[in-house]
Amino acid sequence: MSEMATVAELQERLRRPLAAELAGGCHDRVVAGGVEKLLSTPLAGPFPKVREVLSGYAGLDESARAVALREALTLLGSTGKTTRRAAAPAPTKMAPPQAAPGERLPLDAPAERLNTGPGGARKLSTLGLHTLRDVLHAYPHRHEDRRALPDLADVEEGQKVTVMGTVVSKFRRAPRPGMLILEIVLETPSGGRVKATWFNQPWVEKQLREGARLVLTGRAKKFGRQTQLSVEHMETVDKAEGSLSTRRIVGVYDAKEGISQEFLRKAAYKALEAAPLDDYLPAHWRRKYGLTDLGDALWGIHFPRDEAQLARAHGRLRFDEYLFLELRMLLQGEDAVLQGKRFEARGEDINKFEAALPFRFTNAQRRVLLEITDDMRSDQQMARLVQGDVGSGKTAVAACALYLAVRDGYQGALMAPTEILARQHYANLCGYLGQLDVRVGLLIGAMTPKAKLEMQTRIAEGDVDVVVGTQALIQENVQFDNLGLAVVDEEHRFGVQQRRRLLASRPDVLVMSATPIPRSLALTAYGDLELSIIDELPPGRTPIETKLIQDTARQQAYGFVMGQIRQGRQAYVVTALIEENENLELLAATQLADDLKTILPEARIDLLHGKMSAAEKDYVMERFRAHEFDILVSTTVIEVGVDVPNSTVMVIENAERFGLAQLHQLRGRVGRGSLQSYCVMIAGETSLKTRKRLKIIEGSTDGFVIAEADLKLRGPGEIRGTRQSGIPDLRLADLANDADIIEQARELAKHILANDPRLEHPRLQYLRSELQNRSSSVAYREVI
Ligand code: ADP
Ligand code: MG
């Protein structure tokens, strides 16, 4: 845990993903970007032999890859000091022995030893779960109470219910082209009957056999005494294995097509049975903070006996997440005060920059700029996060800071998460800096190798002042002549570890983020970053008109969209995410695009979804930006800050399924130019609670207000996924309501390190290894 990783640590950080790749079947998919990319990172620097053994990996067939990997792992296992994990079963055999019933496995055991049936390990690995520890900590993202069925007579309109039963009949109707209604009658064990419907989801049809046992969750609609369910989640239940999925409080996991909830429950169950659940927190600390023990917590999150156990589990595991985060922050903080660049950052240069702008800075921008220039003038390395709503003027402020750096004779870099965003920033910076004699360059993957090389050379020779590009390209392939300031956009997509790597080259660092998270949380999540907030929008924006409508008024909504298109405008249509399943999400989007083509034959419509590669997404966005089509139908991938000023309408289908913060981000995609813009939220369900939530969006355009309100409205115990919190280490976090827990975790972390700065005491041995393992796995999954 010292500030410089030791060779043994580097070795371990390289070994883990390679072992996972071997365990995952050598498809070169476990390490995003591929094994060879991993080997080209500084991580692999000290291990030339390993690089040699694995060179050309992508071109090998799977058995040759396995041979090479084993050789590499042997090399990594035998150099340097032996680690605790060196004693763990090295994944060196083709078919590792599986756990005998009752046998304990180490937490690092590959998931295949869990004996989850044919293809089980592969399924787990497609979800990013490679070890026993991974499976244990892949918590359900929500729970359903299946202990007792609600009495159908008492169910209210709009209420969310779960029912279990057998399909007794099935109907299918296609009233008009592009519309398919599937309907079943489900008989519950007590003899009650409920009708369940699916609109335009042809892919569920094959699971609706008569006689199939199903568990359905959805919103109730009442027609007199009859109850109808519009289904949001369906599981088929196997008679033999139903015990984990029925008659209890049941966890619902993140999954993908072809991976059933039952399978995941079985895997979790086996992991719990096999895992050594020794607690890494000594008992007196657990008592002090009122925390249950680890075994109770892990069983309780996966298979709670009752609400009380589930609550205990949440309390404990959430505390642990914050504790590890705090420990990591504090340990990294050791090298936070570092010699950085010292800039003059002259006031006259700020004036010069502002004079060249077509506008004046807002007060908020000015304040933040002062905070930045203070940092730049000091000897210490700047590490500052600028948080501000979309369009609040972060980029303009960053451009000014880059200008100051260049005026002091340094180079600057601006890094974006995607190519399209890099292009957009490039265009903006050219606008801001071009007239001030600053030479701005672009470096993205889509350029020809020759153009890339040329740009790299110019950067190395100091012929370019500011380079804009994707983070990967800039970090891995650029030797700067004299880098002074690095600006990183949309930080939350990278994660803490990668930022540390960037900091290693010691420029001053400015991070921009539009994720509106409350201050207390920002401090925790971004620990070692100072925080600046731009809490004011530039004047003269025409506020976006927001309207919430019921899905019965869809036709009118799209009539309105068509009106805008006839005036030469463009529109986004975003479709609901179906939480457990990316493939279904894609199908839903495809279906929606087809529907719209029928309803709006004049409009040119195209599709964007999460399964596309980065290059494909960029291509679609580029064409949309060039107005080569009118309506972009998309899953939520457009959340990231893309600017298409000619788009004036954002339609959000099934708005009730999104978090408010997410709706707000989506709405921020329009209103980017001077044109009046609109956001239409179509709600498929209109219970009082839903209307109350969505009205907040209708009534406010302030991201911070919305984020707070959102957090308050969510009920206790509702688990948010990583996707929503935006912070990779926090799976259970409930950001606004956790202020106390955050405080306690921080207190404990400080206490622990005050007495034992390197966690060397034998009593803390488990804590230390848990900390190392959790952080490295998170780093790999989120970063590479
Ligand atoms: P962000 O990076 O926070 O999304 P930008 O810096 O890209 O915001 O600014 C959004 C838009 O507002 C840009 O077109 C920019 O030129 C403009 N802008 C920025 N600051 C101001 C200001 N103080 N007054 C008027 N317009 C501004
Ligand atoms: Mg921006």
Side-chain angles (χ1 to χ4, degrees), residues 14 34 215 270 335 337 502 668 701 704 745:
L14 190 58
V215 180
K270 295 208 167 201
D335 62 356
V337 183
L502 167 72
T701 51
F704 289 91

Side-chain angles (χ1 to χ4, degrees), residues 15 83-91 106-110 113:
R15 195 195 63 80
T83 59
R84 189 184 52 78
R85 258 163 269 105
L107 290 170
D108 290 307
R113 297 195 61 199

Side-chain angles (χ1 to χ4, degrees), residues 391 394-395 424-425 489-490 512 641 672:
K394 298 182 293 294
T395 309
Q424 188 174 299
H425 279 309
D489 187 23
E490 299 290 346
M512 305 191 282
R672 313 288 290 182

Side-chain angles (χ1 to χ4, degrees), residues 429-471:
L429 285 195
C430 288
Y432 290 129
L433 300 174
Q435 45 184 327
L436 294 167
D437 283 338
V438 176
R439 295 160 300 177
V440 184
L442 177 69
L443 189 63
I444 54 175
M447 289 160 55
T448 62
K450 185 159 164 275
K452 268 188 244 176
L453 186 66
E454 201 177 296
M455 182 53 66
Q456 285 158 358
T457 314
R458 287 180 57 204
I459 296 166
E461 289 173 356
D463 275 352
V464 173
D465 301 312
V466 174
V467 57
V468 183
T470 51
Q471 174 136 1

Side-chain angles (χ1 to χ4, degrees), residues 398-607:
C400 183
L402 287 166
Y403 178 63
L404 296 175
V406 171
R407 292 289 290 169
D408 277 338
Y410 287 100
Q411 288 173 303
L414 198 169
M415 293 175 257
T418 65
E419 298 206 345
I420 178 114
L421 283 172
R423 279 209 200 93
Q424 188 174 299
H425 279 309
Y426 174 69
N428 287 338
L429 285 195
C430 288
Y432 290 129
L433 300 174
Q435 45 184 327
L436 294 167
D437 283 338
V438 176
R439 295 160 300 177
V440 184
L442 177 69
L443 189 63
I444 54 175
M447 289 160 55
T448 62
K450 185 159 164 275
K452 268 188 244 176
L453 186 66
E454 201 177 296
M455 182 53 66
Q456 285 158 358
T457 314
R458 287 180 57 204
I459 296 166
E461 289 173 356
D463 275 352
V464 173
D465 301 312
V466 174
V467 57
V468 183
T470 51
Q471 174 136 1
L473 262 186
I474 291 186
Q475 270 181 256
E476 281 156 32
N477 302 322
V478 177
Q479 287 296 329
F480 283 90
D481 178 37
N482 187 18
L483 180 64
L485 175 66
V487 178
V488 186
D489 187 23
E490 299 290 346
E491 149 72 11
H492 59 283
R493 302 198 45 185
F494 298 121
V496 177
Q497 295 300 322
Q498 186 159 1
R499 193 176 67 239
R500 303 306 301 185
R501 253 196 274 160
L502 167 72
L503 292 177
S505 71
R506 303 298 173 226
D508 276 13
V509 175
L510 197 62
V511 177
M512 305 191 282
S513 171
T515 309
I517 50 181
R519 192 170 197 114
S520 68
L521 177 76
L523 287 178
T524 294
Y526 297 110
D528 52 347
L529 289 182
E530 301 287 330
L531 182 64
S532 289
I533 297 181
I534 305 186
D535 50 6
E536 178 186 358
L537 285 185
R541 296 273 164 86
T542 324
I544 301 167
E545 252 180 59
T546 304
K547 194 106 190 98
L548 170 63
I549 63 162
Q550 282 201 35
D551 56 3
T552 45
R554 271 178 100 226
Q555 293 282 357
Q556 284 110 291
Y558 284 109
F560 175 78
V561 170
M562 202 55 226
Q564 288 285 306
I565 288 171
R566 288 202 188 96
Q567 292 172 39
R569 306 282 92 85
Q570 289 162 276
Y572 296 101
V573 177
V574 174
T575 165
L577 66 170
I578 296 167
E579 51 195 351
E580 285 97 14
N581 194 320
E582 277 177 33
N583 286 323
L584 291 191
E585 193 172 310
L586 166 58
L587 278 168
T590 313
Q591 184 77 45
L592 179 62
D594 288 347
D595 274 6
L596 290 182
K597 283 175 191 162
T598 325
I599 305 175
L600 308 174
E602 293 169 59
R604 295 167 299 170
I605 299 174
D606 214 331
L607 181 65

Side-chain angles (χ1 to χ4, degrees), residues 145 147 249 300 304-314:
D145 189 349
R147 284 171 300 186
I249 301 178
R305 274 187 303 276
D306 50 27
E307 283 97 342
Q309 191 189 9
L310 182 57
R312 287 198 304 276
H314 270 177

